[in-house]
Amino acid sequence: MVNRLKACREDQQITQEQLAQLVGVSRQSIISIEKGHYVPTSVLALKISSVMKIRVEDLFVLEESDWR
Amino acid sequence: MESNLLPNSFKLIGVATFGLAFLTPIVIGMVSPQSWEETESRRQIAQTFMLLGLSALILSKEKIEDEFINACRLKAFKVAFVAGILYYLQDAFGTYSGALLNSSFYLLVMQIGVYCVIFYLLKSGLTNGK
């Protein structure tokens, strides 16, 4: 899965720390999601999309390999 | 998400208890005469403190407890469990052929050690856990 979290966050000039506080997780969680090391649960993905006012499917995009 | 772990302050208590594992035998040795039986009981006291300390350390919450930390914890427990099985098999049939099997203490300490290393690596992002 590709995620556009870093690009969207930078567009909105939100720091990792600010985003982490807004969604109630640690900064390390945001770093791991941005690096693609960790795939968030649907709850956290919806929280992030709600805070950033972006549709969740625009933030997290399925790849061809995810269907296999 | 609600987790049934000890409060974060237990990390400090765990470290202190782990430290007692090294201090207690020394203090007992200084105040009482030494015999083989006492040396054995000192070892058991030290091992108990060590296990209690390490258990408190790994079973207490992080400062910020979230789903990422829970995922790291789960992966670390999984690796530690498999490491325990491999340790048992190596110990039973490997080089030492059961030399260490008379004590579950070494197995538990090894598993806790593996858990701590894996958990730290996952949490700090030094490995992606795949």
Side-chain angles (χ1 to χ4, degrees):
Chain A
M1 190 170 74
V2 175
N3 79 70
R4 298 175 179 149
L5 180 59
K6 189 175 183 183
C8 294
R9 182 179 58 73
E10 285 173 350
D11 282 348
Q12 297 190 13
Q13 294 181 328
I14 304 172
T15 64
Q16 290 173 332
E17 188 66 49
Q18 286 170 332
L19 180 60
Q21 281 179 358
L22 286 168
V23 296
V25 297
S26 64
R27 183 171 159 259
Q28 191 57 50
S29 302
I30 302 296
I31 294 169
S32 294
I33 294 168
E34 285 186 355
K35 282 183 178 173
H37 291 176
Y38 176 66
V39 178
T41 61
S42 51
V43 175
L44 182 53
L46 288 165
K47 277 185 187 175
I48 292 169
S49 74
S50 172
V51 162
M52 299 185 76
K53 296 180 177 61
I54 300 172
R55 293 190 314 161
V56 73
E57 55 266 44
D58 292 333
L59 270 176
F60 303 99
V61 184
L62 285 173
E63 290 177 296
E64 193 61 40
S65 59
D66 291 316
W67 292 97
R68 288 185 212 128
Chain B
M1 192 186 299
E2 197 67 35
S3 62
N4 302 317
L5 293 166
L6 298 166
N8 180 254
S9 55
F10 272 76
K11 282 210 185 294
L12 196 64
I13 295 170
V15 171
T17 311
F18 185 74
L20 280 178
F22 297 96
L23 280 178
T24 313
I26 297 169
V27 172
I28 294 173
M30 283 164 64
V31 296
S32 70
Q34 200 173 17
S35 68
W36 185 86
E37 289 80 9
E38 283 173 347
T39 311
E40 185 63 15
S41 63
R42 259 185 261 166
R43 188 179 60 81
Q44 285 175 343
I45 290 168
Q47 288 183 346
T48 305
F49 274 127
M50 199 178 281
L51 272 185
L52 285 174
L54 289 172
S55 301
L57 201 64
I58 67 166
L59 295 175
S60 52
K61 289 178 183 171
E62 296 299 302
K63 276 180 187 162
I64 299 175
E65 192 73 23
D66 59 16
E67 61 175 56
F68 172 67
I69 292 294
N70 276 332
C72 292
R73 188 174 284 124
L74 192 63
K75 277 180 192 168
F77 271 125
K78 194 168 71 178
V79 174
F81 178 76
V82 173
I85 293 171
L86 293 175
Y87 176 88
Y88 174 83
L89 292 174
Q90 190 277 331
D91 196 33
F93 306 109
T95 323
Y96 301 107
S97 300
L100 298 174
L101 280 179
N102 56 359
S103 171
S104 53
F105 172 77
Y106 300 107
L107 175 66
L108 288 170
V109 168
M110 186 279 299
Q111 283 187 302
I112 293 173
V114 168
Y115 168 84
C116 288
V117 170
I118 299 295
F119 182 67
Y120 173 77
L121 288 175
L122 290 170
K123 196 180 98 171
S124 58
L126 293 173
T127 178
N128 61 12
K130 287 176 184 167

